[in-house]
Amino acid sequence: AVPVSGKVIGADEIKMMVEAALDGWLTTGRFNAMFEERLAQFLGVKYLITVNSGSSANLVAFSTLTSKKLGDRAIKKGDEVIVPALTMSATCFAVLHANATPIFADVDPITWQISADSVARLITPRTKAIMTVALYGGSPDYDALRSVAAGIPIIEDNAEAIGTTYKGRVIGSMGDFSSYSFQSSKHLTAGEGGMLCTNNTDLAEKARLVQTLGYSAVKK
C-alpha cells in the first residue's frame, strides 16, 4: 500500500481510480451510479444524488424547495428557515441563497444538537423549513422535531454524521431532504464531494434536474 498524507491507499483503490480514469467519466458514469446505489441502500433512502460538495447539496435542496410548482409550500423572499446556532456558515449560506432568513435555534446543552423546544418557540407563519445539523457524529431528536414541525419540511445536514443512528435507524431519511459531505475532514471522504438524499419522488426529480442543469431526471 502507498501512504498518502497519513492515510493508506491500497491496490484496490488504485485499480478503481485507473478504471474510472480510463472509463472517460471522472465525476459521473458507472462508478458514480454504483456509489449512489450502494449508499442509498446503506442509508435506507430511495433517491441519492451526488454533487461536488456538502454545501452544494444544501444549495440544491433549497433551490428545489423554491420551485413555484410547490405553490404555497415554496420558499420565497422573506420566508424563514430555522437553523441551529451551533453550526458553520455554509448552513446559513444555503438559506440566504434561497432569499430566506435564517432564524437561530438554541442547541441542547447535553447533546449539542438543535433543540426541539427552541424550534417550537421560533415557528411563525413565515417558517418554511427547519434545518437540522447532526454535529460530531450525533443525532438530533427527530421524533420531537417532527412533532413540533407539524408538517414543515425538515432538511437534515448530516455532513458530520454518515452512519449515525437514531433509535436504531440510520439517519438520512428523517427529513424531506438530507445532505452529506465527503470533504477530507469528514468520516467518509472522497477528498471532496457531497450528496443529497430523499424519499420523495417529486423532490428527487426536481433536485436531479438542478444537479444536471436540466439534462436528466430520476429513474423510477
Side-chain angles (χ1 to χ4, degrees):
V2 181
V4 179
S5 301
K7 309 229 183 257
V8 175
I9 297 176
D12 289 340
E13 288 78 13
I14 293 173
K15 178 176 179 292
M16 293 190 76
M17 284 190 289
V18 171
E19 286 183 23
L22 294 177
D23 196 47
W25 295 90
L26 298 180
T27 57
T28 55
R30 65 186 180 94
F31 283 105
N32 191 70
M34 182 170 61
F35 184 77
E36 289 184 347
E37 181 181 350
R38 291 187 179 181
L39 269 179
Q41 291 175 352
F42 172 71
L43 295 172
V45 295
K46 291 181 180 178
Y47 306 106
L48 190 152
I49 300 164
T50 51
V51 289
N52 66 336
S53 68
S55 297
S56 291
N58 288 333
L59 288 172
V60 171
F62 277 97
S63 294
T64 300
L65 293 173
T66 58
S67 171
K68 292 182 179 179
K69 293 182 179 180
L70 294 176
D72 292 339
R73 295 178 61 237
I75 297 174
K76 58 185 182 301
K77 186 175 182 179
D79 287 335
E80 298 174 349
V81 177
I82 298 174
V83 301
L86 182 58
T87 183
M88 70 167 294
S89 56
T91 305
C92 296
F93 288 163
V95 177
L96 294 170
H97 188 267
N99 287 318
T101 301
I103 303 297
F104 295 102
D106 288 332
V107 297
D108 184 283
I110 303 300
T111 66
W112 293 2
Q113 310 300 321
I114 188 170
S115 164
D117 289 338
S118 180
V119 169
R121 293 191 294 269
L122 294 171
I123 292 175
T124 74
R126 294 186 299 276
T127 305
K128 287 296 181 70
I130 298 165
M131 196 169 189
T132 64
V133 179
L135 282 177
Y136 314 125
S139 171
D141 186 342
Y142 285 107
D143 285 348
L145 286 165
R146 280 197 294 252
S147 177
V148 301
I152 297 171
I154 293 176
I155 302 162
E156 304 174 55
D157 184 331
N158 296 334
E160 296 184 351
I162 190 163
T164 292
T165 59
Y166 173 75
K167 295 186 176 180
R169 179 179 167 191
V170 179
I171 64 174
S173 62
M174 306 295 179
D176 295 75
F177 275 124
S178 61
S179 66
Y180 291 85
S181 171
F182 303 118
Q183 187 262 348
S184 58
S185 68
K186 301 303 187 289
H187 299 90
L188 176 64
T189 178
E192 290 293 346
M195 65 183 182
L196 185 65
C197 308
T198 183
N199 282 324
N200 185 301
T201 302
D202 186 49
L203 292 179
E205 288 178 338
K206 289 180 173 63
R208 181 70 81 178
L209 288 171
V210 173
Q211 179 233 27
T212 60
L213 302 177
Y215 281 106
S216 65
V218 170
K219 294 180 180 178
K220 299 286 183 67

